[in-house]
Amino acid sequence: MRHSPPSWTTEDMPSLRGRLAVVTGATSGIGYVTARELARAGAEVVVTGRDAGRARRAAEDMAGEVPGARVRPDLLDLADLASVTGFVHRVEHGGRPVDLLVNNAGVMGIRHRATTKDGFELTVGTNHLGHFALTGRLLPQLLAAPAPRVVTVSAAISRSAIAELSDLEGTRKYRPLNAYAKSKLANVLFALELQRRADAAGVALTSVAVHPGFSATGLQRHATRPVRALARLLPGHFVGQSVASAALPTLYAATAQDVVPGGFYGPTGRFETRGTPGPVDLPAPAADAALAARLWRTSESLTHVRYRWPEAVP
């Protein structure tokens, strides 16, 4: 039986002065809180969003909430691989290592099958393939940092029966919740396989996955009416939590010194819907290294992004 960890809050975050962090989907919700609190701890934070105006306003709001915060907005649309490439080029031009990458952005509940700019199913294309491409293209900047960390935000639904990777892009049968569950399982498999490959290459990169528990955020805006009604009801009355609390697992995974490479972190309260962040059980399929390797190869084939390690990785 897993013991509850001691209480952990943003007050326990170490100083991040001198560190550069990139947070995807940082214009609202968990991503906004994550970027703001990293900045409060002293990091320089790149606040990304798929709308340049919203990214700029989010950075301005953070600067207003955290005097002296070093935050800068940048455009990044994970549903467009050209946007990913353009963003990475701007990071490269800055000439600084990236100490922390938080793969937070996501979409869910897209009612009818839609596609990204590159023709991928929109949910999997944004939540998994976009982050796969971003992390791969940022790998040189990450490996230039002394102790780089990649945190990929999944969801508790990654443990559900509908979280399986057959028909990855929903070409045979598309269901909104299934597409979301697939993408969230893919997030965990990606995080673990990234750690395996970093270990094989002998580099000091830490890759972990997190799930935030339950909190009603902008992520549900495309969902069906019953799902949106439930999302509004739960936080105030039953099992949910504030967005600030939902960001704690991400912040813990991004900064805590006792984080284990290849781990999975989330709220440790009842049903993992809320509570102190700490280690939680992985989805059962995450133990399948062969499945993770197949997903990696598929992701390389679809995005045309290959990770370049200091030494070759099979």
Side-chain angles (χ1 to χ4, degrees):
M1 183 176 178
R2 195 185 291 276
H3 295 287
S4 297
S7 179
W8 189 92
T9 71
T10 54
E11 296 297 319
D12 297 301
M13 291 170 61
S15 171
L16 301 177
R17 294 197 178 279
R19 310 280 182 87
L20 177 63
V22 173
V23 182
T24 70
T27 60
S28 64
I30 292 170
Y32 179 93
V33 174
T34 298
R36 183 191 67 198
E37 295 308 312
L38 292 173
R40 196 188 303 277
E44 179 180 345
V45 184
V46 184
V47 177
T48 77
R50 61 189 173 195
D51 180 276
R54 289 188 66 195
R56 184 183 65 255
R57 288 191 294 274
E60 290 170 351
D61 289 345
M62 289 177 202
E65 293 181 63
V66 182
R70 301 180 67 199
V71 291
R72 56 184 172 89
D74 208 333
L75 177 66
L76 173 60
D77 184 355
L78 291 160
D80 180 356
L81 293 182
S83 177
V84 172
T85 300
F87 170 77
V88 171
H89 284 166
R90 291 190 294 277
V91 174
E92 291 172 342
H93 183 72
R96 288 189 57 192
V98 174
D99 298 275
L100 172 64
L101 170 62
V102 180
N103 290 325
N104 165 81
V107 297
M108 72 172 292
I110 307 300
R111 301 184 190 191
H112 304 288
R113 189 181 187 277
T115 58
T116 69
K117 294 279 183 67
D118 304 280
F120 311 135
E121 186 278 312
L122 184 58
T123 307
V124 169
T126 302
N127 298 359
H128 168 61
L129 293 173
H131 282 125
F132 178 90
L134 174 66
T135 307
R137 294 213 182 279
L138 276 180
L139 190 63
Q141 281 65 49
L142 286 162
L143 296 184
R149 196 173 292 196
V150 178
V151 178
T152 301
V153 180
S154 179
I157 199 172
S158 61
R159 297 198 189 102
S160 72
I162 61 172
E164 49 79 36
L165 300 187
S166 65
D167 191 22
L168 179 64
E169 294 192 74
T171 54
R172 294 194 297 272
K173 188 171 188 179
Y174 176 79
R175 291 179 177 172
L177 196 59
N178 294 57
Y180 182 66
K182 287 175 192 290
S183 74
K184 294 293 102 179
L185 175 59
N187 287 153
V188 180
L189 289 165
F190 162 69
L192 269 60
E193 183 65 11
L194 177 60
Q195 188 64 60
R196 291 188 192 99
R197 291 175 179 248
D199 291 344
V203 298
L205 181 145
T206 295
S207 172
V208 296
V210 304
H211 84 78
F214 188 89
S215 179
T217 68
L219 196 60
Q220 292 96 4
R221 66 186 176 276
H222 297 296
T224 61
R225 186 175 297 174
V227 170
R228 283 184 280 128
L230 182 63
R232 287 194 297 270
L233 179 64
L234 285 175
H237 296 85
F238 294 107
V239 299
Q241 59 185 331
S242 68
V243 174
S245 295
L248 287 178
T250 300
L251 290 165
Y252 178 87
T255 66
Q257 293 184 352
D258 59 351
V259 165
V260 177
F264 190 35
Y265 294 87
T268 56
R270 192 178 184 188
F271 305 125
E272 295 180 17
T273 57
R274 62 193 306 169
T276 299
V280 295
D281 292 333
L282 285 162
D288 189 343
L291 176 63
R294 287 197 299 273
L295 175 64
W296 190 280
R297 291 192 294 270
T298 297
S299 302
E300 284 183 330
S301 176
L302 291 171
T303 64
H304 303 293
V305 173
R306 294 186 66 86
Y307 284 49
R308 304 298 180 186
W309 301 95
E311 297 179 5
V313 178

